[in-house]
Amino acid sequence: MLYWAAVFLIIAVVAAVFGFGGVASTAGGIAQVLFFIFLVLFVVSIVVGLFRGRRPPL
């Protein structure tokens, strides 16, 4: 789950770079929403992983 949260966070950041730069205002709004949703999912995944007590694979 942490892997997918990280993947979608990176996708949201890339979308944010294109959207926040003024390419399209609609894309910017969508990118902002996706960025914050996946940022929250990423943090939740980290917290859940810490509480499970397992180390992430290297």
Side-chain angles (χ1 to χ4, degrees):
M1 188 163 124
L2 180 61
Y3 171 77
W4 286 109
V7 168
F8 287 125
L9 177 67
I10 291 170
I11 292 171
V13 169
V14 170
V17 167
F18 289 117
F20 296 159
V23 174
S25 62
T26 304
I30 293 170
Q32 281 181 329
V33 170
L34 288 176
F35 178 78
F36 290 114
I37 287 173
F38 292 122
L39 183 64
V40 168
L41 288 175
F42 182 69
V43 171
V44 167
S45 295
I46 289 174
V47 170
V48 168
L50 290 174
F51 281 124
R52 288 182 124 188
R54 292 180 10 183
R55 293 195 174 262
L58 296 176

